[in-house]
């Protein structure tokens, strides 16, 4: 493989703002570099990239290629595909790193197919394997992991947000940005409207204790028990998993996870939550995680500091009663 830049990281941005996944992609690239020698390059696409391209180079300390495409005002998978496939066709990278987010996950398989590379999606960990590299991908809501290795000389990788950290730019590297302008064919689909993302819970981020309910609470009436528990805990807030918001039992600004809020309270109580990686991505950095689940093999247990294997309908009334009794005794 003759390539000047074996590792390519695709920067994600929206309306002039770089998304945190850009830095996480850089974290994954650095992790790969610990086992695989070769330079990396950040690539950013858009209409007018003068400011953001320079900013990316300064912040990352890396070499940036800013590909300006007239008329590309936001993410468009078909235009991204054309431009990136052309950019890499002659110098095939070893890894093309793309965030596994709704902005980019429709790009990765198409790009891999076009470049005849393997496509490993939703990876959460690097696993060094002899002279090569493997990657873990959670399956069945995080209950098990598949270990994947590319069978081609290069691979397109998408990574789950929240799993790779970037520790900052090396002090001795200023970074640089090369600008290139390319035109693209009119894409076969058109973006009609941008609908802003749902508001996420600002007060969840301020809470020191989060009492989070999952589908395991079984009935909407049991939310009263969850609320009642939260009321007895100082500086607390009630949150939940996405199915409860989809059911209308909780508001969307109470959803924790990939498509909800990212929180890191001192204490996170996961009540009847299975631990799907989309949920875990939003709460795994909490100070102390307690989970209550009747399944002793639920994936959330892998992330918990304390596990209570019990039916919630038995456990919650007992916990609330115990807190009440302790309060009475201390008054
Ligand atoms: C693109 C995408 C984005 C997503 N984003 C998010 C997100 O941001 N946040 C999110 O939460 N999810 C998200 N999801 C959904 C996610 O994949 C899971 O489906 C969801 O997190 C599962 O919610 P849950 O744990 O409440 O329910 P389940 O997976 O149904 O788990 C219920 C748990 O409760 C336990 N249980 C059942 N009854 C009892 C009982 N009586 N007592 C004790 N335990 C009991 C079960 O053992 C089980 O572990 C997303 C999915 C996709 C595809």
């Amino acid at each position: 493989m003759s390539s000047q830049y074996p590792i390519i990281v695709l920067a994600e941005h929206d309306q002039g703002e770089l998304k945190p996944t850009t830095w996480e992609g850089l974290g994954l690239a650095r992790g790969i570099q610990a086992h695989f020698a070769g330079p990396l390059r950040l690539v950013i696409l858009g209409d007018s990239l003068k400011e953001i391209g320079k900013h990316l180079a300064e912040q990352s300390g890396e070499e940036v290629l800013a590909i300006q495409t007239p008329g590309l005002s936001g993410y468009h998978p078909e235009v991204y595909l054309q431009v990136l496939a052309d950019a890499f066709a002659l110098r095939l990278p070893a890894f093309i790193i793309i965030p596994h987010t709704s902005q980019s996950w429709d790009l990765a398989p198409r790009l891999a197919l076009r470049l005849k590379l393997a496509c490993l999606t939703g990876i959460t960990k690097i696993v060094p394997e002899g002279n090569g590299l493997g990657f873990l991908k959670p399956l069945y809501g995080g209950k098990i992991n598949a270990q994947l290795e590319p069978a081609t000389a290069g691979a397109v990788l998408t990574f789950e947000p929240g799993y790779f950290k970037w520790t900052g730019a090396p002090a001795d590297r200023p970074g640089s940005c090369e600008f290139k302008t390319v035109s693209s064919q009119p894409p076969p689909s058109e973006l009609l409207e941008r609908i802003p993302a749902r508001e996420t819970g600002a007060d969840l981020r301020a809470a020191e204790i989060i009492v989070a309910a999952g589908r395991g609470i079984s009935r909407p009436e049991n939310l009263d028990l969850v609320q009642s528990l939260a009321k007895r805990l100082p500086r607390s807030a009630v949150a939940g998993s996405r199915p409860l918001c989809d059911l209308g039992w909780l508001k969307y600004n109470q959803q924790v996870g990939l498509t909800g809020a990212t929180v890191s309270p001192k204490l996170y109580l996961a009540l009847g939550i299975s631990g799907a990686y989309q949920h875990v991505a939003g709460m795994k950095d909490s100070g102390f995680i307690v989970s209550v689940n009747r399944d002793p093999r639920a994936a959330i247990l892998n992330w918990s500091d304390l596990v209570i294997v019990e039916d919630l309908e038995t456990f919650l009334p007992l916990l609330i009663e115990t807190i009440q009794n302790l309060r009475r005794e201390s008054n």
Side-chain angles (χ1 to χ4, degrees):
M1 184 175 41
S2 63
S3 169
Q4 205 183 338
Y5 292 100
I7 305 173
I8 297 290
V9 178
L10 182 66
E12 218 178 33
H13 63 108
D14 189 28
Q15 302 186 7
E17 294 282 325
L18 285 167
K19 294 196 166 187
T21 44
T22 300
W23 312 115
E24 294 176 22
L26 213 42
L28 168 56
R30 285 254 167 264
I32 290 175
Q33 275 187 319
H35 311 281
F36 175 91
L40 71 87
R41 196 178 219 197
L42 279 151
V43 174
I44 185 164
L45 268 65
D47 187 348
S48 170
L49 298 169
K50 206 168 167 208
E51 295 302 317
I52 200 169
K54 273 194 211 155
H55 174 71
L56 184 54
E58 279 162 17
Q59 292 293 304
S60 65
E62 301 292 349
E63 288 187 33
V64 174
L65 173 63
I67 309 181
Q68 307 193 104
T69 307
L72 182 60
S73 56
Y75 173 71
H76 194 299
E78 275 121 2
V79 179
Y80 267 54
L81 175 63
Q82 275 183 43
V83 173
L84 292 175
D86 287 349
F88 303 138
L90 294 178
R91 295 194 314 189
L92 212 54
F95 296 101
I96 302 175
I97 296 174
I98 297 177
H100 195 79
T101 63
S102 52
Q103 180 169 308
S104 320
W105 59 32
D106 52 354
L107 168 70
R110 298 180 201 193
L111 184 61
L113 190 66
R114 188 71 74 83
L115 297 174
K116 297 192 171 48
L117 296 176
C119 185
L120 313 187
T121 58
I123 62 164
T124 55
K125 198 172 176 191
I126 302 168
V127 189
E129 275 294 315
N131 290 332
L133 278 183
F135 300 92
L136 291 191
K137 170 195 173 84
L139 297 178
Y140 302 109
K143 276 196 174 181
I144 59 168
N145 283 303
Q147 184 169 331
L148 308 169
E149 283 171 43
T152 48
V156 175
L157 305 175
T158 72
F159 62 93
E160 286 298 342
Y163 286 85
F164 297 98
K165 296 233 178 326
W166 178 63
T167 46
D172 55 341
R173 279 222 302 262
S176 63
C177 186
E178 178 192 343
F179 292 93
K180 204 171 156 184
T181 299
V182 299
S183 54
S184 73
Q185 303 287 330
S189 67
E190 190 188 343
L191 180 69
L192 296 180
E193 192 188 358
R194 290 172 65 92
I195 300 168
R198 291 167 187 148
E199 190 190 316
T200 51
D203 47 345
L204 285 189
R205 295 201 185 97
E208 290 187 2
I209 300 176
I210 289 185
V211 184
R215 201 147 47 182
I217 65 158
S218 314
R219 297 179 287 138
E221 303 85 74
N222 286 339
L223 266 180
D224 293 343
L225 289 172
V226 175
Q227 303 280 6
S228 169
L229 173 61
K231 264 190 213 147
R232 287 168 171 79
L233 302 171
R235 289 176 288 285
S236 66
V238 171
S241 64
R242 176 157 143 176
L244 263 62
C245 302
D246 289 340
L247 285 164
W249 298 2
L250 292 175
K251 293 187 183 139
Y252 277 112
N253 67 5
Q254 292 176 288
Q255 180 185 318
V256 168
L258 204 57
T259 44
T262 301
V263 296
S264 50
K266 288 182 180 164
L267 173 64
Y268 191 88
L269 292 173
L271 308 175
I273 292 177
S274 59
Y277 66 85
Q278 293 98 340
H279 185 84
V280 168
M283 47 66 77
K284 66 182 174 48
D285 292 329
S286 303
F288 196 84
I289 299 172
V290 178
S291 59
V292 184
N293 201 302
R294 67 179 178 192
D295 177 1
R297 290 172 306 157
I300 192 77
L301 275 53
N302 300 326
W303 301 93
S304 304
D305 299 288
L306 180 65
V307 172
I308 296 151
V309 180
E310 184 54 273
D311 192 301
L312 278 166
E313 292 192 347
T314 311
F315 180 76
L316 273 185
L318 280 174
L319 178 61
I320 293 166
E321 193 187 321
T322 307
I323 294 173
Q324 264 170 343
N325 290 342
L326 285 171
R327 284 263 165 84
R328 269 192 220 112
E329 280 169 26
S330 64
N331 284 337

